[in-house]
Amino acid sequence: MEVLRQLGLEETVWGHVPPSEHWRRFRYCTSLLGDDLAVMDHFRTEEFKFLGSLSPCRVAQLSQPILENILSEAANAAAESSGAKVLTGHIVQDLAPRSEDGGVNVTIRPTNGGPPTTVAAQYVVGADGTRSAVRRALGITSRGEHDMESFASIHFTSRELGKRLAKDRRGAMLSFVFSPDVLGVVVSHDLRRGDWVIHAPFFPPAQSLEDICGTEEACIEIIRQCCAPMSTHKGAEDDPLRDLELHSVRAWGMHATCATSFAGMGNRVFLAGDAAHQFPPSGGFGVNAGLVDAHNLVWKLAYTLQGKAGPSLLASYDLERRPVIEDALSVAVDNYRRGLLPARAMGLERNLVATAVSMLGQGGATLPWAGDLVSGMLTVGKQHLRSPALVKSRVKRVVEEDQDALPLLFPRTDKGFRYFPEAGGVARPASSPTSTPRDLSPSEFWLKPRLKRGTQTDIALGTSPGQALPHAWILERDSNLRLSTIDIISAQLPAYTLLYAMPSIWRPALETLHQKYGKAKTDRVLRGVALVPLQSPDGTTGDTGDFKEAVYVYEANSPWEQLREISERGALLVRPDGHIAAQLAGPSSSTPSASPRDLSHDILDVLEELELRINCN
Ligand SMILES: Cc1cc2nc3c(=O)[nH]c(=O)nc-3n(C[C@H](O)[C@H](O)[C@H](O)COP(=O)(O)OP(=O)(O)OC[C@H]3O[C@@H](n4cnc5c(N)ncnc54)[C@H](O)[C@@H]3O)c2cc1C
């Protein structure tokens, strides 16, 4: 959401978000209209309270196709205003390095069957999903846990069902259905539109998609059992599924994998999103991680193309993003195991079935009775569900009392990471497990210790290099508008920000740079922003001379006083993606007379260390 806020899209997104009452809970139930076994309200957790102080953005649920439309409209508008061309309806077939200038030739083919053509690119970003052709062309493999689980996903709509659940105040983002007849997870995309997807597990190669969803009738039967079995309503007129429309059925496999590198061809080609990493849905990290990949990469490409940066800037993409992703993957796998605990408490051992399938091996699993064996095991497992009272008390303990089932909010994973390329990784709390995912045997899978509770609120906020600029509420001095510190970083003008509390110290240094290189050139790399205490004379006086800088103020006792971690004489150099590049100490209070020239040298020294150049064409 913070990335979308920076792009000016936050309000548009909120225009589509359903009321939180419709999605703030996870339900564990016998069917959507049946009995609740347990309910987890994620707005009553420590993580939710903590998030409120961590970000100006609120948590939202939005279905992916709607978000993709919003992003695609924004991308088309940006392309139109900048003269760029968006080419759709083409498939990337292959890439080849170009010896003349180090660029990349990309072979593309129209999807309607025309002949292939070649595009001469300077840089390529492969955001082409799990089966990435770009990743394949680079010869990069993925490491981690492949084929953790397989699901049939059934997409359907029923407004009547949505209305009934909204009226009964039983809306939930996820409903885990456990009944002797069916096991499945029902995802509610929007109760108002009655838009749903059911994910029902199956066990290939002993079972296939056709075995469980081979006909329309079989799919409708699964939908009915998960949502509204006949026992939950009085006849056809009362049937909440009377307007049911089945849209699609497909199989998907769950993986927790990460590409061994996010860059190739000498940092001319990059991988982002699912092309670089595949998350299990447990945690909802997939889209978020892809957005942050892009947020990390695009300004680096712009700086490099404009000649403002040396090669280390683009090289930092892989060094920064991959460890963050590996850390998030370990959280997602932990979530997945946590998500199985309620079923386990009911005596449903998913892993026993998975172990039986793996014991049969590839050959054995295709024997005619292999599918029957799996169905038989599942039927035996589901017998426990015929004693709802016993099951209910066990599930309630895991979900509501111990809060040891699948969580929804992950402040540390989403917000608490720190880019730390020097150490080849991210700084992470000691309680975090080893990061690199790898294949685990079924017994290892369960024996691996789970993450400690509370890990997600264990974040050190601050302004060390690599950390995200922390959020605190501030005011824009001229308009008195209430903003966040993170709003200081503009997406419209991607430049580093020199953020200081004492303009009288830092303005002259910037003016020296303006005189040396010209204001326009300096501003393209680095702009000054003042964030001053409300009572400070620096905050209330007007700008000096030609120097126009944005001025923000913070009130007395603002959390910013602690969060900024530097003295009020210092300055922070913040990257265009909001991560801290450097802390500059400024003159000490005992030698306040450091000349503007000295400080401009300090700034230039830091820029040189970062391989950034103001003096470029
Ligand atoms: C069941 C399920 C539930 C999920 N739930 C969540 C969730 O709650 N939250 C969340 O954040 N994430 C979730 N995800 C993950 C999320 O859907 C993905 O992480 C996300 O779609 C990745 O976006 P992407 O753009 O990288 O890849 P994709 O969405 O796969 O897009 C890739 C694009 O590249 C195009 N393409 C492919 N090959 C080529 C080629 N050769 N040439 C040109 N174009 C090509 C494709 O047509 C497509 O448009 C879920 C995933 C699944 C399966």
Side-chain angles (χ1 to χ4, degrees), residues 17-27 43 61 162-163 165-175 187-194 196:
V17 174
S20 66
E21 190 53 38
H22 291 182
W23 52 266
R24 57 191 275 176
R25 300 180 186 86
F26 288 175
R27 287 177 59 205
F43 281 19
Q61 185 205 12
K163 266 194 235 163
L165 287 164
K167 185 169 134 278
D168 296 350
R169 301 177 70 85
R170 300 182 82 188
M173 183 190 290
L174 301 182
S175 300
V187 184
S188 161
H189 283 290
D190 192 336
L191 226 51
R192 300 167 303 181
R193 288 187 285 115
W196 319 84

Side-chain angles (χ1 to χ4, degrees), residues 64 68 90-92 127-129 133 199 252 272-274 281 284-288:
Q64 193 172 332
E68 284 179 2
H90 285 72
I91 290 282
V92 170
D128 50 347
H199 300 287
W252 63 275
D274 277 18
F285 297 138
V287 172
N288 287 313

Side-chain angles (χ1 to χ4, degrees), residues 115 128 378 441 582:
D128 50 347
L378 288 170
S441 70

